Amino acid sequence: MYRVMAVVAALCAVPATAQQRDLPVPADKGWGHAATGVTFPARLAGLPRTSIRDSTADERDVSLNFETPDRATVVTIFLFHPALANAAIWFDRSEAQIALRTDWHGATPADQNPTAFARPGSAVSAGLKQAYRTGSKDYPTTALAVVPVGEWLVAVRYSARDVDIPALRQRLNGVIDAIRWPAETGVPPPAARPIAACADTLRFGKAKMMKRNINMGLMGGLLSGLMVKPATDAKPEAPRELCRDGTPTLEYGMYRAAGSDGYTIAFGDAGRVAYVAKGIEIPGMNGSGGYTVTFGSVDGAMATYQSFDRLPSPKQVMDEINSTTPVSRTNLDSEGKTQIHIDAPK
Protein backbone atom coordinates (compact mmCIF):
# COMPACT_ATOMS: atom_id res chain seq x y z
CA MET A 1 0.00 0.00 0.00
CA TYR A 2 1.34 3.37 -1.02
CA ARG A 3 0.16 6.87 -0.28
CA VAL A 4 0.05 8.31 -3.79
CA MET A 5 -1.70 11.67 -3.83
CA ALA A 6 -2.04 13.56 -7.10
CA VAL A 7 -4.66 16.24 -6.71
CA VAL A 8 -5.45 17.10 -3.11
CA ALA A 9 -3.22 20.12 -2.62
CA ALA A 10 -6.18 22.49 -2.54
CA LEU A 11 -7.79 20.90 0.52
CA CYS A 12 -5.59 18.35 2.18
CA ALA A 13 -3.31 20.37 4.43
CA VAL A 14 -1.43 17.24 5.51
CA PRO A 15 -1.22 14.80 2.60
CA ALA A 16 -0.15 11.32 3.58
CA THR A 17 3.16 11.61 1.74
CA ALA A 18 4.36 14.62 3.78
CA GLN A 19 4.23 16.41 7.11
CA GLN A 20 4.06 13.21 9.10
CA ARG A 21 4.68 13.38 12.83
CA ASP A 22 6.18 10.60 14.92
CA LEU A 23 3.94 9.48 17.74
CA PRO A 24 5.78 9.44 21.11
CA VAL A 25 5.43 5.73 21.84
CA PRO A 26 8.36 3.89 23.52
CA ALA A 27 9.80 1.16 21.32
CA ASP A 28 8.98 -1.53 23.89
CA LYS A 29 5.37 -0.41 24.42
CA GLY A 30 2.24 -1.25 22.47
CA TRP A 31 -0.01 1.44 21.06
CA GLY A 32 -3.80 1.63 21.04
CA HIS A 33 -5.94 3.74 18.73
CA ALA A 34 -8.50 5.52 20.88
CA ALA A 35 -11.20 6.01 18.23
CA THR A 36 -11.36 2.35 17.14
CA GLY A 37 -9.98 0.33 20.05
CA VAL A 38 -7.46 -1.40 17.75
CA THR A 39 -4.18 -2.10 19.59
CA PHE A 40 -0.79 -2.98 18.14
CA PRO A 41 1.85 -4.63 20.35
CA ALA A 42 5.48 -3.48 20.24
CA ARG A 43 6.30 -6.74 18.41
CA LEU A 44 3.81 -8.00 15.87
CA ALA A 45 4.05 -11.71 15.02
CA GLY A 46 7.69 -11.59 16.08
CA LEU A 47 8.55 -8.41 14.14
CA PRO A 48 9.69 -5.33 16.09
CA ARG A 49 7.97 -2.01 15.43
CA THR A 50 10.36 0.47 13.82
CA SER A 51 8.11 3.51 13.45
CA ILE A 52 4.64 4.88 14.10
CA ARG A 53 3.57 8.09 12.37
CA ASP A 54 0.47 10.19 11.90
CA SER A 55 -0.15 12.39 8.85
CA THR A 56 -2.91 14.26 10.71
CA ALA A 57 -3.20 16.09 14.02
CA ASP A 58 -5.65 13.64 15.60
CA GLU A 59 -4.68 10.08 14.52
CA ARG A 60 -6.97 9.87 11.50
CA ASP A 61 -4.24 8.51 9.20
CA VAL A 62 -1.66 6.48 11.11
CA SER A 63 1.06 4.23 9.68
CA LEU A 64 3.08 1.63 11.56
CA ASN A 65 6.14 -0.26 10.32
CA PHE A 66 7.37 -3.62 11.59
CA GLU A 67 10.46 -5.24 10.07
CA THR A 68 13.44 -7.51 10.64
CA PRO A 69 16.85 -5.83 11.12
CA ASP A 70 17.97 -6.90 7.62
CA ARG A 71 14.60 -5.80 6.15
CA ALA A 72 14.08 -9.25 4.66
CA THR A 73 10.52 -8.95 5.97
CA VAL A 74 8.64 -5.65 6.08
CA VAL A 75 5.10 -5.13 7.34
CA THR A 76 3.38 -1.77 6.94
CA ILE A 77 -0.01 -1.07 8.48
CA PHE A 78 -2.26 1.91 7.80
CA LEU A 79 -5.18 2.82 10.03
CA PHE A 80 -7.28 5.63 8.57
CA HIS A 81 -10.74 7.16 8.40
CA PRO A 82 -11.68 7.26 4.71
CA ALA A 83 -14.12 9.79 3.34
CA LEU A 84 -15.88 6.80 1.76
CA ALA A 85 -16.16 3.84 4.14
CA ASN A 86 -15.98 1.05 1.57
CA ALA A 87 -13.33 -1.63 2.15
CA ALA A 88 -13.68 -3.06 -1.37
CA ILE A 89 -12.86 0.26 -3.05
CA TRP A 90 -9.76 0.86 -0.95
CA PHE A 91 -8.63 -2.72 -1.47
CA ASP A 92 -9.08 -2.13 -5.20
CA ARG A 93 -7.04 1.08 -5.01
CA SER A 94 -4.24 -0.58 -3.01
CA GLU A 95 -4.17 -3.46 -5.47
CA ALA A 96 -3.81 -0.95 -8.31
CA GLN A 97 -0.73 0.50 -6.60
CA ILE A 98 0.83 -2.96 -6.41
CA ALA A 99 0.05 -3.74 -10.06
CA LEU A 100 1.08 -0.39 -11.56
CA ARG A 101 4.15 0.73 -9.63
CA THR A 102 7.30 0.21 -11.68
CA ASP A 103 9.37 -1.06 -8.74
CA TRP A 104 7.11 -4.13 -8.52
CA HIS A 105 7.77 -4.93 -12.20
CA GLY A 106 4.29 -6.05 -13.11
CA ALA A 107 3.07 -7.73 -9.91
CA THR A 108 0.27 -10.24 -10.47
CA PRO A 109 -2.23 -11.73 -7.99
CA ALA A 110 -1.70 -15.33 -6.93
CA ASP A 111 -5.44 -16.04 -7.13
CA GLN A 112 -8.06 -14.93 -9.62
CA ASN A 113 -10.05 -13.10 -6.94
CA PRO A 114 -9.21 -11.79 -3.47
CA THR A 115 -10.45 -13.77 -0.47
CA ALA A 116 -13.11 -12.38 1.85
CA PHE A 117 -12.44 -13.03 5.54
CA ALA A 118 -13.63 -12.11 9.02
CA ARG A 119 -11.18 -10.41 11.33
CA PRO A 120 -10.85 -11.61 14.94
CA GLY A 121 -13.76 -10.22 16.92
CA SER A 122 -16.10 -10.14 13.93
CA ALA A 123 -18.54 -12.71 12.56
CA VAL A 124 -18.75 -11.11 9.11
CA SER A 125 -16.35 -11.68 6.21
CA ALA A 126 -15.99 -7.94 5.67
CA GLY A 127 -12.27 -7.87 4.84
CA LEU A 128 -10.41 -8.75 1.64
CA LYS A 129 -6.92 -10.19 1.19
CA GLN A 130 -4.68 -11.34 -1.65
CA ALA A 131 -1.09 -12.46 -2.25
CA TYR A 132 1.00 -11.34 -5.24
CA ARG A 133 4.07 -12.41 -7.19
CA THR A 134 6.27 -9.51 -8.20
CA GLY A 135 9.24 -9.00 -10.48
CA SER A 136 11.22 -7.42 -7.65
CA LYS A 137 14.45 -9.10 -6.55
CA ASP A 138 14.15 -7.54 -3.11
CA TYR A 139 10.60 -8.73 -2.45
CA PRO A 140 9.39 -11.33 -4.96
CA THR A 141 6.19 -11.81 -2.94
CA THR A 142 3.89 -9.36 -1.21
CA ALA A 143 0.41 -9.56 0.31
CA LEU A 144 -2.39 -7.15 1.07
CA ALA A 145 -5.35 -7.17 3.47
CA VAL A 146 -7.95 -4.43 4.05
CA VAL A 147 -10.26 -4.70 7.05
CA PRO A 148 -13.08 -2.38 8.21
CA VAL A 149 -13.48 -1.40 11.85
CA GLY A 150 -16.67 0.64 12.01
CA GLU A 151 -16.11 3.56 9.64
CA TRP A 152 -12.34 3.11 9.81
CA LEU A 153 -10.07 0.85 7.76
CA VAL A 154 -6.95 -1.11 8.62
CA ALA A 155 -4.74 -1.99 5.65
CA VAL A 156 -1.87 -4.47 6.03
CA ARG A 157 1.01 -4.98 3.59
CA TYR A 158 3.41 -7.89 4.10
CA SER A 159 6.49 -8.09 1.85
CA ALA A 160 9.11 -10.84 2.10
CA ARG A 161 12.41 -11.65 0.43
CA ASP A 162 12.56 -15.46 0.53
CA VAL A 163 9.00 -16.62 1.16
CA ASP A 164 6.75 -18.49 -1.24
CA ILE A 165 3.05 -17.75 -1.66
CA PRO A 166 1.68 -20.43 0.75
CA ALA A 167 4.04 -19.31 3.51
CA LEU A 168 3.29 -15.65 2.77
CA ARG A 169 -0.43 -16.27 3.25
CA GLN A 170 0.23 -17.92 6.61
CA ARG A 171 2.42 -15.02 7.75
CA LEU A 172 -0.17 -12.45 6.70
CA ASN A 173 -2.78 -14.35 8.71
CA GLY A 174 -0.40 -14.42 11.66
CA VAL A 175 -0.05 -10.63 11.57
CA ILE A 176 -3.81 -10.14 11.37
CA ASP A 177 -4.31 -12.49 14.32
CA ALA A 178 -1.60 -10.71 16.35
CA ILE A 179 -3.38 -7.35 16.13
CA ARG A 180 -5.70 -6.83 19.09
CA TRP A 181 -9.08 -6.09 17.58
CA PRO A 182 -12.09 -4.67 19.43
CA ALA A 183 -15.28 -6.65 19.79
CA GLU A 184 -17.78 -5.86 17.09
CA THR A 185 -20.69 -3.77 18.35
CA GLY A 186 -23.69 -2.10 16.76
CA VAL A 187 -24.72 -2.77 13.17
CA PRO A 188 -22.34 -5.36 11.65
CA PRO A 189 -20.40 -4.40 8.52
CA PRO A 190 -21.56 -5.66 5.13
CA ALA A 191 -19.86 -8.73 3.69
CA ALA A 192 -17.03 -7.81 1.35
CA ARG A 193 -17.40 -8.24 -2.41
CA PRO A 194 -14.49 -7.40 -4.73
CA ILE A 195 -15.00 -4.49 -7.11
CA ALA A 196 -15.72 -5.57 -10.69
CA ALA A 197 -15.27 -3.62 -13.91
CA CYS A 198 -18.36 -1.80 -15.18
CA ALA A 199 -20.09 -3.31 -18.20
CA ASP A 200 -19.73 0.03 -20.01
CA THR A 201 -17.89 3.30 -19.48
CA LEU A 202 -19.07 6.87 -19.14
CA ARG A 203 -18.48 9.31 -21.97
CA PHE A 204 -17.68 12.95 -21.40
CA GLY A 205 -18.43 16.00 -23.49
CA LYS A 206 -17.09 19.53 -23.07
CA ALA A 207 -18.39 20.43 -19.64
CA LYS A 208 -18.12 24.05 -18.51
CA MET A 209 -18.13 25.49 -15.01
CA MET A 210 -21.35 27.26 -14.11
CA LYS A 211 -21.13 30.82 -12.82
CA ARG A 212 -20.17 30.94 -9.17
CA ASN A 213 -22.81 32.43 -6.86
CA ILE A 214 -24.06 32.34 -3.28
CA ASN A 215 -26.83 29.83 -4.03
CA MET A 216 -24.27 27.32 -5.24
CA GLY A 217 -22.48 27.58 -1.89
CA LEU A 218 -25.72 27.25 0.08
CA MET A 219 -26.82 24.15 -1.82
CA GLY A 220 -23.37 22.58 -1.58
CA GLY A 221 -23.14 23.25 2.14
CA LEU A 222 -26.56 21.78 2.88
CA LEU A 223 -25.95 18.64 0.82
CA SER A 224 -22.47 18.17 2.30
CA GLY A 225 -23.94 18.54 5.78
CA LEU A 226 -25.96 15.39 5.18
CA MET A 227 -22.76 13.50 4.35
CA VAL A 228 -20.66 14.57 7.33
CA LYS A 229 -20.77 12.16 10.28
CA PRO A 230 -18.71 11.87 13.47
CA ALA A 231 -15.76 9.47 13.30
CA THR A 232 -17.04 7.82 16.49
CA ASP A 233 -20.35 6.86 14.90
CA ALA A 234 -19.51 3.22 14.22
CA LYS A 235 -22.71 2.36 12.37
CA PRO A 236 -21.65 1.67 8.80
CA GLU A 237 -24.33 1.68 6.16
CA ALA A 238 -24.47 -1.00 3.48
CA PRO A 239 -22.48 0.45 0.58
CA ARG A 240 -24.03 0.80 -2.83
CA GLU A 241 -23.04 -1.85 -5.34
CA LEU A 242 -20.27 -0.06 -7.23
CA CYS A 243 -18.23 -1.00 -10.27
CA ARG A 244 -14.91 0.33 -11.57
CA ASP A 245 -15.33 2.59 -14.59
CA GLY A 246 -12.43 2.61 -17.04
CA THR A 247 -8.79 1.75 -16.44
CA PRO A 248 -7.36 2.53 -12.98
CA THR A 249 -4.21 4.63 -12.66
CA LEU A 250 -1.74 5.15 -9.85
CA GLU A 251 -3.33 8.53 -9.16
CA TYR A 252 -6.99 7.58 -9.06
CA GLY A 253 -9.75 5.09 -9.79
CA MET A 254 -13.30 5.94 -10.91
CA TYR A 255 -16.31 4.10 -9.46
CA ARG A 256 -20.06 4.33 -9.97
CA ALA A 257 -23.32 2.55 -9.35
CA ALA A 258 -24.92 0.71 -12.24
CA GLY A 259 -27.08 3.04 -14.31
CA SER A 260 -25.74 6.17 -12.62
CA ASP A 261 -24.43 9.12 -14.63
CA GLY A 262 -22.47 10.37 -11.63
CA TYR A 263 -19.30 8.82 -10.23
CA THR A 264 -16.77 8.79 -7.41
CA ILE A 265 -13.02 9.36 -7.76
CA ALA A 266 -10.88 7.58 -5.17
CA PHE A 267 -7.45 9.23 -5.04
CA GLY A 268 -4.34 7.14 -4.49
CA ASP A 269 -5.14 4.63 -1.76
CA ALA A 270 -5.32 6.98 1.20
CA GLY A 271 -9.03 7.61 1.81
CA ARG A 272 -9.61 10.86 -0.13
CA VAL A 273 -12.45 11.02 -2.65
CA ALA A 274 -14.35 13.36 -4.95
CA TYR A 275 -18.06 12.87 -5.63
CA VAL A 276 -19.59 13.98 -8.93
CA ALA A 277 -23.39 13.95 -8.91
CA LYS A 278 -26.30 15.54 -10.70
CA GLY A 279 -27.40 18.61 -8.77
CA ILE A 280 -30.94 19.41 -7.71
CA GLU A 281 -32.72 21.82 -10.05
CA ILE A 282 -34.74 24.35 -8.05
CA PRO A 283 -36.93 26.70 -10.11
CA GLY A 284 -35.95 30.34 -9.64
CA MET A 285 -32.75 29.45 -7.78
CA ASN A 286 -29.79 30.46 -9.90
CA GLY A 287 -26.84 28.12 -9.42
CA SER A 288 -28.85 24.95 -8.82
CA GLY A 289 -28.81 21.97 -11.16
CA GLY A 290 -25.81 20.99 -13.23
CA TYR A 291 -23.30 18.53 -11.76
CA THR A 292 -21.84 19.13 -8.31
CA VAL A 293 -18.27 18.28 -7.27
CA THR A 294 -17.60 17.49 -3.61
CA PHE A 295 -14.25 16.56 -2.07
CA GLY A 296 -13.94 14.53 1.14
CA SER A 297 -10.81 13.83 3.19
CA VAL A 298 -9.82 11.75 6.21
CA ASP A 299 -10.50 14.67 8.56
CA GLY A 300 -14.24 14.21 7.98
CA ALA A 301 -14.65 17.56 6.22
CA MET A 302 -16.43 18.02 2.89
CA ALA A 303 -15.84 20.81 0.37
CA THR A 304 -18.11 21.63 -2.56
CA TYR A 305 -16.81 23.29 -5.73
CA GLN A 306 -18.44 25.12 -8.62
CA SER A 307 -20.93 23.02 -10.54
CA PHE A 308 -20.50 22.00 -14.17
CA ASP A 309 -23.24 22.37 -16.77
CA ARG A 310 -22.79 18.75 -17.83
CA LEU A 311 -20.93 15.68 -16.61
CA PRO A 312 -17.24 16.64 -16.19
CA SER A 313 -14.36 14.27 -16.86
CA PRO A 314 -12.10 13.17 -13.99
CA LYS A 315 -9.35 15.46 -15.33
CA GLN A 316 -11.70 18.45 -15.18
CA VAL A 317 -12.64 17.54 -11.62
CA MET A 318 -9.01 17.20 -10.53
CA ASP A 319 -8.05 20.45 -12.26
CA GLU A 320 -10.91 22.24 -10.50
CA ILE A 321 -9.93 20.95 -7.06
CA ASN A 322 -6.32 21.96 -7.64
CA SER A 323 -6.90 25.39 -9.14
CA THR A 324 -10.05 26.84 -7.53
CA THR A 325 -11.38 27.45 -4.04
CA PRO A 326 -14.50 25.67 -2.74
CA VAL A 327 -17.86 27.43 -2.74
CA SER A 328 -18.55 25.87 0.68
CA ARG A 329 -16.89 23.77 3.36
CA THR A 330 -18.65 21.53 5.86
CA ASN A 331 -17.15 19.93 8.94
CA LEU A 332 -17.90 18.88 12.51
CA ASP A 333 -16.74 21.03 15.39
CA SER A 334 -15.25 19.72 18.64
CA GLU A 335 -18.77 19.09 19.99
CA GLY A 336 -19.86 17.10 16.95
CA LYS A 337 -22.04 19.88 15.54
CA THR A 338 -22.12 20.57 11.81
CA GLN A 339 -20.45 23.79 10.67
CA ILE A 340 -21.02 25.13 7.16
CA HIS A 341 -18.77 27.85 5.73
CA ILE A 342 -20.00 29.61 2.58
CA ASP A 343 -17.49 31.36 0.34
CA ALA A 344 -19.43 34.33 -1.02
CA PRO A 345 -18.46 35.30 -4.58
CA LYS A 346 -16.50 38.54 -4.82
Side-chain angles (χ1 to χ4, degrees), residues 77-125:
I77 298 174
F78 295 94
L79 194 165
F80 61 106
H81 185 265
L84 175 60
N86 186 311
I89 279 184
W90 297 110
F91 180 92
D92 193 67
R93 288 304 305 145
S94 295
E95 188 169 63
Q97 308 298 316
I98 295 171
L100 297 175
R101 282 184 63 94
T102 56
D103 51 350
W104 289 110
H105 305 285
T108 57
D111 298 307
Q112 183 175 359
N113 295 306
T115 300
F117 71 99
R119 66 165 175 85
S122 174
V124 181
S125 296

Side-chain angles (χ1 to χ4, degrees), residues 10-310:
L11 280 179
C12 187
V14 280
T17 52
Q19 301 183 22
Q20 291 191 340
R21 63 187 180 100
D22 290 318
L23 296 185
V25 182
D28 61 344
K29 302 295 183 182
W31 174 78
H33 186 244
T36 61
V38 179
T39 300
F40 302 90
R43 297 182 67 89
L44 192 64
L47 299 172
R49 188 183 66 236
T50 56
S51 68
I52 175 169
R53 298 187 176 99
D54 182 13
S55 70
T56 66
D58 52 1
E59 299 182 357
R60 285 176 172 262
D61 191 3
V62 179
S63 62
L64 303 95
N65 283 295
F66 299 82
E67 58 190 53
T68 56
D70 60 358
R71 303 197 82 245
T73 298
V74 176
V75 173
T76 304
I77 298 174
F78 295 94
L79 194 165
F80 61 106
H81 185 265
L84 175 60
N86 186 311
I89 279 184
W90 297 110
F91 180 92
D92 193 67
R93 288 304 305 145
S94 295
E95 188 169 63
Q97 308 298 316
I98 295 171
L100 297 175
R101 282 184 63 94
T102 56
D103 51 350
W104 289 110
H105 305 285
T108 57
D111 298 307
Q112 183 175 359
N113 295 306
T115 300
F117 71 99
R119 66 165 175 85
S122 174
V124 181
S125 296
L128 292 170
K129 59 184 177 181
Q130 176 68 284
Y132 307 85
R133 296 181 177 90
T134 81
S136 167
K137 293 181 180 179
D138 293 329
Y139 302 107
T141 59
T142 190
L144 166 69
V146 176
V147 187
V149 182
E151 291 185 347
W152 296 73
L153 290 179
V154 175
V156 181
R157 277 291 306 278
Y158 195 117
S159 299
R161 187 168 298 163
D162 298 312
V163 178
D164 60 17
I165 293 297
L168 184 72
R169 291 194 183 104
Q170 291 183 353
R171 292 192 182 186
L172 177 66
N173 292 340
V175 166
I176 294 170
D177 290 342
I179 296 171
R180 297 165 190 165
W181 303 89
E184 196 167 79
T185 60
V187 179
R193 297 180 63 179
I195 297 288
C198 298
D200 55 1
T201 57
L202 293 176
R203 296 189 177 186
F204 305 99
K206 294 183 178 180
K208 296 180 180 180
M209 285 187 196
M210 298 170 65
K211 186 176 180 180
R212 187 185 189 105
N213 59 44
I214 190 68
N215 290 336
M216 194 176 290
L218 289 170
M219 288 294 297
L222 291 173
L223 292 174
S224 294
L226 299 176
M227 303 170 71
V228 173
K229 292 189 293 186
T232 55
D233 181 10
K235 297 180 180 179
E237 299 174 357
R240 293 181 302 163
E241 195 69 31
L242 300 176
C243 62
R244 184 194 322 106
D245 190 303
T247 303
T249 70
L250 278 173
E251 292 75 21
Y252 72 90
M254 187 169 68
Y255 304 88
R256 63 183 173 89
S260 172
D261 58 356
Y263 60 90
T264 296
I265 302 174
F267 297 113
D269 60 357
R272 284 78 170 173
V273 300
Y275 301 99
V276 181
K278 196 168 183 61
I280 300 173
E281 185 74 39
I282 301 178
M285 188 172 182
N286 185 27
S288 63
Y291 283 82
T292 62
V293 174
T294 304
F295 178 88
S297 189
V298 294
D299 62 1
M302 307 292 293
T304 301
Y305 289 79
Q306 285 173 256
S307 300
F308 286 86
D309 62 351
R310 63 183 65 185

